[in-house]
PDB file of all heavy atoms in Angstrom:
ATOM      1  N   LEU A 963       3.675 -31.084  -1.901  1.00 96.00           N
ATOM      2  CA  LEU A 963       2.631 -31.055  -2.942  1.00 96.00           C
ATOM      3  C   LEU A 963       1.999 -29.667  -3.020  1.00 96.00           C
ATOM      4  O   LEU A 963       1.565 -29.249  -4.094  1.00 96.00           O
ATOM      5  CB  LEU A 963       1.558 -32.115  -2.629  1.00 96.00           C
ATOM      6  CG  LEU A 963       2.014 -33.563  -2.873  1.00 96.00           C
ATOM      7  CD1 LEU A 963       1.004 -34.531  -2.242  1.00 96.00           C
ATOM      8  CD2 LEU A 963       2.140 -33.823  -4.357  1.00 96.00           C
ATOM      9  N   GLY A 964       1.943 -28.943  -1.905  1.00 95.00           N
ATOM     10  CA  GLY A 964       1.395 -27.600  -1.923  1.00 95.00           C
ATOM     11  C   GLY A 964       2.168 -26.692  -2.856  1.00 95.00           C
ATOM     12  O   GLY A 964       1.623 -25.842  -3.576  1.00 95.00           O
ATOM     13  N   HIS A 965       3.521 -26.813  -2.838  1.00 92.00           N
ATOM     14  CA  HIS A 965       4.359 -26.005  -3.734  1.00 92.00           C
ATOM     15  C   HIS A 965       4.015 -26.310  -5.188  1.00 92.00           C
ATOM     16  O   HIS A 965       3.901 -25.375  -6.019  1.00 92.00           O
ATOM     17  CB  HIS A 965       5.847 -26.290  -3.478  1.00 92.00           C
ATOM     18  CG  HIS A 965       6.390 -25.665  -2.254  1.00 92.00           C
ATOM     19  ND1 HIS A 965       6.594 -24.302  -2.153  1.00 92.00           N
ATOM     20  CD2 HIS A 965       6.776 -26.184  -1.064  1.00 92.00           C
ATOM     21  CE1 HIS A 965       7.093 -24.016  -0.954  1.00 92.00           C
ATOM     22  NE2 HIS A 965       7.188 -25.144  -0.271  1.00 92.00           N
ATOM     23  N   LEU A 966       3.890 -27.572  -5.532  1.00 94.00           N
ATOM     24  CA  LEU A 966       3.612 -27.960  -6.902  1.00 94.00           C
ATOM     25  C   LEU A 966       2.258 -27.460  -7.381  1.00 94.00           C
ATOM     26  O   LEU A 966       2.106 -26.877  -8.456  1.00 94.00           O
ATOM     27  CB  LEU A 966       3.691 -29.485  -7.028  1.00 94.00           C
ATOM     28  CG  LEU A 966       3.522 -30.040  -8.442  1.00 94.00           C
ATOM     29  CD1 LEU A 966       4.762 -29.804  -9.261  1.00 94.00           C
ATOM     30  CD2 LEU A 966       3.207 -31.542  -8.396  1.00 94.00           C
ATOM     31  N   LEU A 967       1.227 -27.693  -6.573  1.00 94.00           N
ATOM     32  CA  LEU A 967      -0.121 -27.311  -6.967  1.00 94.00           C
ATOM     33  C   LEU A 967      -0.278 -25.784  -7.052  1.00 94.00           C
ATOM     34  O   LEU A 967      -1.022 -25.273  -7.885  1.00 94.00           O
ATOM     35  CB  LEU A 967      -1.162 -27.906  -6.020  1.00 94.00           C
ATOM     36  CG  LEU A 967      -1.212 -29.415  -5.929  1.00 94.00           C
ATOM     37  CD1 LEU A 967      -2.438 -29.859  -5.159  1.00 94.00           C
ATOM     38  CD2 LEU A 967      -1.171 -30.068  -7.313  1.00 94.00           C
ATOM     39  N   SER A 968       0.405 -25.048  -6.171  1.00 90.00           N
ATOM     40  CA  SER A 968       0.376 -23.598  -6.266  1.00 90.00           C
ATOM     41  C   SER A 968       0.945 -23.135  -7.606  1.00 90.00           C
ATOM     42  O   SER A 968       0.368 -22.243  -8.239  1.00 90.00           O
ATOM     43  CB  SER A 968       1.172 -22.983  -5.120  1.00 90.00           C
ATOM     44  OG  SER A 968       0.522 -23.151  -3.876  1.00 90.00           O
ATOM     45  N   ARG A 969       2.075 -23.716  -8.035  1.00 88.00           N
ATOM     46  CA  ARG A 969       2.645 -23.330  -9.315  1.00 88.00           C
ATOM     47  C   ARG A 969       1.681 -23.640 -10.472  1.00 88.00           C
ATOM     48  O   ARG A 969       1.579 -22.883 -11.429  1.00 88.00           O
ATOM     49  CB  ARG A 969       3.971 -24.063  -9.550  1.00 88.00           C
ATOM     50  CG  ARG A 969       5.136 -23.651  -8.684  1.00 88.00           C
ATOM     51  CD  ARG A 969       5.504 -22.212  -8.768  1.00 88.00           C
ATOM     52  NE  ARG A 969       6.863 -21.881  -8.378  1.00 88.00           N
ATOM     53  CZ  ARG A 969       7.334 -21.961  -7.136  1.00 88.00           C
ATOM     54  NH1 ARG A 969       6.527 -22.394  -6.163  1.00 88.00           N
ATOM     55  NH2 ARG A 969       8.557 -21.611  -6.867  1.00 88.00           N
ATOM     56  N   ALA A 970       0.965 -24.768 -10.370  1.00 91.00           N
ATOM     57  CA  ALA A 970       0.031 -25.151 -11.402  1.00 91.00           C
ATOM     58  C   ALA A 970      -1.090 -24.110 -11.502  1.00 91.00           C
ATOM     59  O   ALA A 970      -1.516 -23.741 -12.604  1.00 91.00           O
ATOM     60  CB  ALA A 970      -0.529 -26.538 -11.130  1.00 91.00           C
ATOM     61  N   ILE A 971      -1.575 -23.613 -10.347  1.00 89.00           N
ATOM     62  CA  ILE A 971      -2.625 -22.616 -10.354  1.00 89.00           C
ATOM     63  C   ILE A 971      -2.074 -21.285 -10.866  1.00 89.00           C
ATOM     64  O   ILE A 971      -2.743 -20.580 -11.612  1.00 89.00           O
ATOM     65  CB  ILE A 971      -3.242 -22.486  -8.964  1.00 89.00           C
ATOM     66  CG1 ILE A 971      -3.873 -23.816  -8.519  1.00 89.00           C
ATOM     67  CG2 ILE A 971      -4.307 -21.388  -8.929  1.00 89.00           C
ATOM     68  CD1 ILE A 971      -4.279 -23.862  -7.054  1.00 89.00           C
ATOM     69  N   TYR A 972      -0.849 -20.933 -10.474  1.00 83.00           N
ATOM     70  CA  TYR A 972      -0.221 -19.697 -10.974  1.00 83.00           C
ATOM     71  C   TYR A 972      -0.148 -19.738 -12.508  1.00 83.00           C
ATOM     72  O   TYR A 972      -0.301 -18.697 -13.164  1.00 83.00           O
ATOM     73  CB  TYR A 972       1.197 -19.543 -10.456  1.00 83.00           C
ATOM     74  CG  TYR A 972       1.297 -19.249  -8.962  1.00 83.00           C
ATOM     75  CD1 TYR A 972       2.420 -19.678  -8.233  1.00 83.00           C
ATOM     76  CD2 TYR A 972       0.304 -18.596  -8.275  1.00 83.00           C
ATOM     77  CE1 TYR A 972       2.537 -19.452  -6.901  1.00 83.00           C
ATOM     78  CE2 TYR A 972       0.415 -18.337  -6.926  1.00 83.00           C
ATOM     79  CZ  TYR A 972       1.507 -18.760  -6.221  1.00 83.00           C
ATOM     80  OH  TYR A 972       1.649 -18.526  -4.886  1.00 83.00           O
ATOM     81  N   ALA A 973       0.121 -20.907 -13.061  1.00 80.00           N
ATOM     82  CA  ALA A 973       0.236 -21.051 -14.517  1.00 80.00           C
ATOM     83  C   ALA A 973      -1.040 -20.660 -15.238  1.00 80.00           C
ATOM     84  O   ALA A 973      -0.995 -20.298 -16.416  1.00 80.00           O
ATOM     85  CB  ALA A 973       0.657 -22.450 -14.892  1.00 80.00           C
ATOM     86  N   THR A 974      -2.185 -20.720 -14.524  1.00 82.00           N
ATOM     87  CA  THR A 974      -3.457 -20.336 -15.132  1.00 82.00           C
ATOM     88  C   THR A 974      -3.749 -18.847 -14.916  1.00 82.00           C
ATOM     89  O   THR A 974      -4.867 -18.400 -15.086  1.00 82.00           O
ATOM     90  CB  THR A 974      -4.610 -21.155 -14.546  1.00 82.00           C
ATOM     91  OG1 THR A 974      -4.801 -20.799 -13.169  1.00 82.00           O
ATOM     92  CG2 THR A 974      -4.335 -22.615 -14.658  1.00 82.00           C
ATOM     93  N   HIS A 975      -2.712 -18.093 -14.529  1.00 73.00           N
ATOM     94  CA  HIS A 975      -2.808 -16.654 -14.303  1.00 73.00           C
ATOM     95  C   HIS A 975      -3.810 -16.305 -13.208  1.00 73.00           C
ATOM     96  O   HIS A 975      -4.643 -15.390 -13.356  1.00 73.00           O
ATOM     97  CB  HIS A 975      -3.171 -15.901 -15.605  1.00 73.00           C
ATOM     98  CG  HIS A 975      -2.076 -15.900 -16.615  1.00 73.00           C
ATOM     99  ND1 HIS A 975      -1.800 -14.834 -17.395  1.00 73.00           N
ATOM    100  CD2 HIS A 975      -1.192 -16.839 -16.979  1.00 73.00           C
ATOM    101  CE1 HIS A 975      -0.763 -15.058 -18.205  1.00 73.00           C
ATOM    102  NE2 HIS A 975      -0.397 -16.329 -17.957  1.00 73.00           N
ATOM    103  N   HIS A 976      -3.711 -17.036 -12.119  1.00 76.00           N
ATOM    104  CA  HIS A 976      -4.619 -16.781 -11.001  1.00 76.00           C
ATOM    105  C   HIS A 976      -3.825 -16.834  -9.702  1.00 76.00           C
ATOM    106  O   HIS A 976      -3.014 -17.741  -9.499  1.00 76.00           O
ATOM    107  CB  HIS A 976      -5.775 -17.794 -10.966  1.00 76.00           C
ATOM    108  CG  HIS A 976      -7.014 -17.226 -10.398  1.00 76.00           C
ATOM    109  ND1 HIS A 976      -7.144 -16.935  -9.072  1.00 76.00           N
ATOM    110  CD2 HIS A 976      -8.190 -16.900 -10.975  1.00 76.00           C
ATOM    111  CE1 HIS A 976      -8.378 -16.431  -8.856  1.00 76.00           C
ATOM    112  NE2 HIS A 976      -9.021 -16.394  -9.993  1.00 76.00           N
ATOM    113  N   THR A 977      -4.065 -15.866  -8.823  1.00 73.00           N
ATOM    114  CA  THR A 977      -3.313 -15.792  -7.576  1.00 73.00           C
ATOM    115  C   THR A 977      -4.205 -15.639  -6.324  1.00 73.00           C
ATOM    116  O   THR A 977      -3.687 -15.566  -5.207  1.00 73.00           O
ATOM    117  CB  THR A 977      -2.315 -14.643  -7.611  1.00 73.00           C
ATOM    118  OG1 THR A 977      -3.042 -13.446  -7.860  1.00 73.00           O
ATOM    119  CG2 THR A 977      -1.260 -14.836  -8.669  1.00 73.00           C
ATOM    120  N   ILE A 978      -5.534 -15.566  -6.512  1.00 80.00           N
ATOM    121  CA  ILE A 978      -6.400 -15.272  -5.380  1.00 80.00           C
ATOM    122  C   ILE A 978      -6.718 -16.527  -4.562  1.00 80.00           C
ATOM    123  O   ILE A 978      -6.661 -16.506  -3.323  1.00 80.00           O
ATOM    124  CB  ILE A 978      -7.706 -14.623  -5.856  1.00 80.00           C
ATOM    125  CG1 ILE A 978      -7.404 -13.256  -6.432  1.00 80.00           C
ATOM    126  CG2 ILE A 978      -8.703 -14.480  -4.688  1.00 80.00           C
ATOM    127  CD1 ILE A 978      -8.605 -12.534  -6.998  1.00 80.00           C
ATOM    128  N   TYR A 979      -7.020 -17.631  -5.246  1.00 80.00           N
ATOM    129  CA  TYR A 979      -7.422 -18.825  -4.505  1.00 80.00           C
ATOM    130  C   TYR A 979      -6.317 -19.386  -3.620  1.00 80.00           C
ATOM    131  O   TYR A 979      -6.593 -19.918  -2.540  1.00 80.00           O
ATOM    132  CB  TYR A 979      -7.873 -19.917  -5.502  1.00 80.00           C
ATOM    133  CG  TYR A 979      -9.165 -19.573  -6.231  1.00 80.00           C
ATOM    134  CD1 TYR A 979      -9.257 -19.757  -7.604  1.00 80.00           C
ATOM    135  CD2 TYR A 979     -10.262 -19.068  -5.563  1.00 80.00           C
ATOM    136  CE1 TYR A 979     -10.430 -19.464  -8.296  1.00 80.00           C
ATOM    137  CE2 TYR A 979     -11.443 -18.773  -6.242  1.00 80.00           C
ATOM    138  CZ  TYR A 979     -11.508 -18.957  -7.617  1.00 80.00           C
ATOM    139  OH  TYR A 979     -12.679 -18.670  -8.268  1.00 80.00           O
ATOM    140  N   GLN A 980      -5.067 -19.237  -4.061  1.00 80.00           N
ATOM    141  CA  GLN A 980      -3.951 -19.695  -3.220  1.00 80.00           C
ATOM    142  C   GLN A 980      -3.926 -18.912  -1.908  1.00 80.00           C
ATOM    143  O   GLN A 980      -3.518 -19.448  -0.876  1.00 80.00           O
ATOM    144  CB  GLN A 980      -2.623 -19.581  -3.940  1.00 80.00           C
ATOM    145  CG  GLN A 980      -2.533 -20.411  -5.193  1.00 80.00           C
ATOM    146  CD  GLN A 980      -2.901 -19.592  -6.439  1.00 80.00           C
ATOM    147  OE1 GLN A 980      -3.904 -18.885  -6.433  1.00 80.00           O
ATOM    148  NE2 GLN A 980      -2.119 -19.726  -7.473  1.00 80.00           N
ATOM    149  N   VAL A 981      -4.276 -17.629  -1.974  1.00 81.00           N
ATOM    150  CA  VAL A 981      -4.294 -16.811  -0.778  1.00 81.00           C
ATOM    151  C   VAL A 981      -5.305 -17.386   0.225  1.00 81.00           C
ATOM    152  O   VAL A 981      -5.032 -17.508   1.414  1.00 81.00           O
ATOM    153  CB  VAL A 981      -4.649 -15.365  -1.135  1.00 81.00           C
ATOM    154  CG1 VAL A 981      -4.805 -14.511   0.129  1.00 81.00           C
ATOM    155  CG2 VAL A 981      -3.614 -14.753  -2.019  1.00 81.00           C
ATOM    156  N   VAL A 982      -6.485 -17.689  -0.286  1.00 87.00           N
ATOM    157  CA  VAL A 982      -7.528 -18.224   0.588  1.00 87.00           C
ATOM    158  C   VAL A 982      -7.071 -19.544   1.233  1.00 87.00           C
ATOM    159  O   VAL A 982      -7.238 -19.755   2.442  1.00 87.00           O
ATOM    160  CB  VAL A 982      -8.821 -18.440  -0.196  1.00 87.00           C
ATOM    161  CG1 VAL A 982      -9.900 -19.090   0.697  1.00 87.00           C
ATOM    162  CG2 VAL A 982      -9.347 -17.110  -0.742  1.00 87.00           C
ATOM    163  N   ALA A 983      -6.492 -20.432   0.422  1.00 89.00           N
ATOM    164  CA  ALA A 983      -6.016 -21.715   0.951  1.00 89.00           C
ATOM    165  C   ALA A 983      -4.948 -21.507   2.014  1.00 89.00           C
ATOM    166  O   ALA A 983      -4.937 -22.190   3.034  1.00 89.00           O
ATOM    167  CB  ALA A 983      -5.475 -22.581  -0.189  1.00 89.00           C
ATOM    168  N   SER A 984      -4.026 -20.583   1.745  1.00 87.00           N
ATOM    169  CA  SER A 984      -2.932 -20.338   2.698  1.00 87.00           C
ATOM    170  C   SER A 984      -3.471 -19.741   4.007  1.00 87.00           C
ATOM    171  O   SER A 984      -3.015 -20.093   5.084  1.00 87.00           O
ATOM    172  CB  SER A 984      -1.904 -19.378   2.069  1.00 87.00           C
ATOM    173  OG  SER A 984      -1.277 -19.990   0.972  1.00 87.00           O
ATOM    174  N   LEU A 985      -4.438 -18.838   3.896  1.00 89.00           N
ATOM    175  CA  LEU A 985      -5.018 -18.234   5.112  1.00 89.00           C
ATOM    176  C   LEU A 985      -5.749 -19.272   5.941  1.00 89.00           C
ATOM    177  O   LEU A 985      -5.693 -19.272   7.166  1.00 89.00           O
ATOM    178  CB  LEU A 985      -5.960 -17.112   4.714  1.00 89.00           C
ATOM    179  CG  LEU A 985      -5.294 -15.843   4.190  1.00 89.00           C
ATOM    180  CD1 LEU A 985      -6.356 -14.856   3.679  1.00 89.00           C
ATOM    181  CD2 LEU A 985      -4.433 -15.173   5.257  1.00 89.00           C
ATOM    182  N   ILE A 986      -6.448 -20.203   5.282  1.00 93.00           N
ATOM    183  CA  ILE A 986      -7.122 -21.257   6.007  1.00 93.00           C
ATOM    184  C   ILE A 986      -6.101 -22.159   6.752  1.00 93.00           C
ATOM    185  O   ILE A 986      -6.259 -22.461   7.925  1.00 93.00           O
ATOM    186  CB  ILE A 986      -7.971 -22.120   5.040  1.00 93.00           C
ATOM    187  CG1 ILE A 986      -9.140 -21.270   4.505  1.00 93.00           C
ATOM    188  CG2 ILE A 986      -8.522 -23.367   5.750  1.00 93.00           C
ATOM    189  CD1 ILE A 986      -9.932 -21.970   3.419  1.00 93.00           C
ATOM    190  N   GLY A 987      -5.058 -22.522   6.025  1.00 93.00           N
ATOM    191  CA  GLY A 987      -3.995 -23.337   6.673  1.00 93.00           C
ATOM    192  C   GLY A 987      -3.350 -22.621   7.805  1.00 93.00           C
ATOM    193  O   GLY A 987      -3.054 -23.223   8.865  1.00 93.00           O
ATOM    194  N   PHE A 988      -3.098 -21.331   7.647  1.00 92.00           N
ATOM    195  CA  PHE A 988      -2.507 -20.502   8.713  1.00 92.00           C
ATOM    196  C   PHE A 988      -3.361 -20.491   9.964  1.00 92.00           C
ATOM    197  O   PHE A 988      -2.908 -20.632  11.099  1.00 92.00           O
ATOM    198  CB  PHE A 988      -2.266 -19.112   8.182  1.00 92.00           C
ATOM    199  CG  PHE A 988      -1.607 -18.148   9.163  1.00 92.00           C
ATOM    200  CD1 PHE A 988      -0.427 -18.497   9.795  1.00 92.00           C
ATOM    201  CD2 PHE A 988      -2.209 -16.918   9.424  1.00 92.00           C
ATOM    202  CE1 PHE A 988       0.189 -17.617  10.676  1.00 92.00           C
ATOM    203  CE2 PHE A 988      -1.612 -16.023  10.323  1.00 92.00           C
ATOM    204  CZ  PHE A 988      -0.417 -16.393  10.935  1.00 92.00           C
TER     205      PHE A 988
END
């Protein structure tokens, strides 16, 4: 589901929030 939701956010021309989510998970 993370792959799918990341693509959905990318479609809105945004790439910063995914970074924050990934860093938290890491």
Side-chain angles (χ1 to χ4, degrees):
L963 287 167
H965 284 289
L966 184 75
L967 298 192
S968 289
R969 291 302 202 291
I971 299 170
Y972 292 151
T974 68
H975 290 219
H976 211 289
T977 56
I978 295 177
Y979 292 133
Q980 298 95 314
V981 175
V982 176
S984 296
L985 289 173
I986 293 172
F988 181 53

